[in-house]
């Protein structure tokens, strides 16, 4: 597959009253089109920092990152669904288009089509409070997809949800992202989630982040995240990566 994003020797220092904190020491990786990459690493190691830099919301201190595309559209989704309670689901999903000044009859139809396709058609005129946590997160994903992004940056997208909902939603999100042929980078602290959804997993060291290892996940006989979770490869990857994470309590 063609390369979409090249990250080279990225570094980030934060400056505040207490002085300088290096969040990211040196991170390099490439992302191919339609690839699903997960980033795992100890809490506070710089994962969110990395995504916010790629999203253009935070500045880097050194290194480069380059999209193989002019003015790439970036879909950025955070842990909390952050839907506005006073807007209907459809109005929420049209928000990115409004901000981009590209909301028109055609793009609105596209959003309605996405909502219909992914089981939220009947809820489009409802307000977020009428939806379950899982459905709200699915609506947030559709809002992110509405701008037709070249890449999705997902920062712990389901960590606020309960375990059962998370399992169901990862099948869901996986299916939607594949079907829409999107490229995604997902930060997660849930190793099972990462292994069940990704083509590759980037393991970061503790802060300041460097790349500890990159795993290519190959599980030939499983098509969905929940099928993957039942395979022996899944357990092997899990043990291996768990050891890399080197978690101490
Ligand atoms: P992660 O998402 O992996 O848990 P973060 O990227 O949020 O980690 O944070 C990495 C490090 O950078 C942490 O030590 C955090 O305290 C620090 N940090 C994050 N944001 C800021 C900021 N705006 N100013 C100063 N330090 C920050
Ligand atoms: Mg974070």
């Amino acid at each position: 597959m063609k390369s979409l994003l090249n990250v080279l020797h990225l570094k980030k220092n934060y400056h505040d009253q207490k002085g300088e904190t290096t969040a990211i020491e040196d991170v390099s990786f490439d992302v191919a089109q339609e690839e699903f990459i997960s980033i795992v690493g100890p809490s506070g190691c710089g994962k969110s920092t990395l995504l916010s830099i790629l999203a253009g919301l935070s500045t880097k201190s050194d290194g480069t990152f380059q999209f193989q595309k002019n003015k790439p559209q970036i879909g950025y989704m955070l842990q909390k669904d952050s839907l506005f309670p006073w807007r209907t689901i459809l109005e929420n999903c049209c928000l990115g288009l409004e901000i981009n000044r590209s909301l028109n009859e055609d793009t609105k139809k596209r959003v309605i089509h996405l909502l219909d396709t992914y089981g939220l058609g009947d809820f489009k005129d409802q307000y977020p409070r009428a939806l379950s946590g899982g459905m709200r997160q699915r609506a947030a994903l559709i809002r992110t997809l509405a701008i037709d992004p070249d890449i999705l940056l997902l920062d712990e997208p389901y960590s606020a949800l309960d375990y059962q909902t998370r399992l169901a939603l990862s099948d869901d999100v996986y299916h939607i992202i594949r079907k829409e042929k999107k490229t995604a980078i997902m930060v997660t602290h849930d190793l099972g989630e990462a292994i069940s959804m990704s083509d590759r997993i980037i393991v970061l060291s503790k802060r300041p982040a460097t790349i500890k290892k990159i795993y290519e996940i190959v599980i030939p006989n499983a098509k969905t995240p929940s099928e993957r979770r039942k395979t022996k490869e899944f357990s092997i990857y899990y043990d291996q990566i768990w050891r890399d994470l080197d978690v101490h309590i």
Side-chain angles (χ1 to χ4, degrees):
M1 263 303 184
K2 258 178 65 190
S3 175
L4 176 68
L5 167 65
N6 312 102
V7 180
L8 201 59
H9 299 309
L10 205 70
K11 182 177 178 116
K12 173 70 179 182
N13 301 319
Y14 284 113
H15 302 272
D16 58 19
Q17 299 93 317
K18 283 176 275 166
E20 193 177 81
T21 310
T22 303
I24 300 174
E25 180 64 52
D26 182 355
V27 164
S28 304
F29 61 94
D30 293 326
V31 182
Q33 260 166 25
E34 292 181 37
E35 195 173 24
F36 195 117
I37 289 193
S38 284
I39 296 179
V40 299
S43 169
C45 78
K47 302 181 294 296
S48 295
T49 299
L50 176 58
L51 276 205
S52 69
I53 292 172
L54 298 179
L57 298 173
S58 179
T59 54
K60 61 187 169 62
S61 305
D62 204 354
T64 59
F65 66 96
Q66 197 171 21
F67 287 94
Q68 301 304 323
K69 178 157 191 187
N70 251 336
K71 298 205 181 130
Q73 285 280 354
I74 293 168
Y76 187 40
M77 186 169 137
L78 300 166
Q79 175 177 343
K80 257 195 91 239
D81 62 52
S82 63
L83 299 173
F84 289 124
W86 59 85
R87 286 180 157 236
T88 64
I89 295 301
L90 177 60
E91 287 164 355
N92 265 294
C93 289
C94 288
L95 189 67
L97 293 167
E98 268 175 61
I99 293 169
N100 285 354
R101 295 172 195 278
S102 52
L103 183 63
N104 54 44
E105 277 312 304
D106 282 348
T107 54
K108 190 171 174 176
K109 265 193 203 138
R110 213 183 93 76
V111 175
I112 293 173
H113 181 69
L114 283 168
L115 287 166
D116 283 338
T117 308
Y118 299 118
L120 289 174
D122 290 345
F123 295 90
K124 65 177 184 299
D125 300 319
Q126 306 257 15
Y127 290 87
R129 64 174 174 275
L131 275 65
S132 68
M135 284 166 95
R136 280 204 296 272
Q137 207 56 356
R138 203 193 299 165
L141 178 66
I142 291 172
R143 179 179 60 189
T144 312
L145 289 169
I147 58 164
D148 198 15
D150 297 296
I151 191 163
L152 289 158
L153 303 176
L154 311 170
D155 195 350
E156 309 218 18
Y158 338 100
S159 57
L161 303 169
D162 63 82
Y163 185 67
Q164 296 300 329
T165 308
R166 253 166 37 214
L167 284 186
L169 203 66
S170 41
D171 271 3
D172 221 44
V173 166
Y174 180 87
H175 169 72
I176 296 173
I177 288 177
R178 296 285 169 184
K179 190 153 180 277
E180 301 295 322
K181 296 192 182 307
K182 292 300 174 196
T183 310
I185 304 179
M186 176 173 81
V187 163
T188 177
H189 62 255
D190 183 331
L191 199 46
E193 207 161 87
I195 298 166
S196 66
M197 295 182 77
S198 314
D199 298 310
R200 280 191 299 152
I201 298 180
I202 296 175
V203 184
L204 297 181
S205 70
K206 62 181 198 300
R207 187 177 68 79
T210 55
I211 290 191
K212 203 155 183 189
K213 225 165 188 175
I214 299 183
Y215 284 87
E216 187 159 355
I217 307 297
V218 184
I219 308 182
N221 295 319
K223 287 195 185 63
T224 63
S226 30
E227 280 176 33
R228 274 189 171 195
R229 284 175 185 270
K230 296 180 192 123
T231 62
K232 78 168 184 306
E233 290 97 328
F234 180 90
S235 324
I236 296 168
Y237 284 124
Y238 199 103
D239 287 345
Q240 257 177 349
I241 301 172
W242 182 253
R243 254 177 274 136
D244 287 338
L245 283 173
D246 200 16
V247 181
H248 296 288
I249 50 169

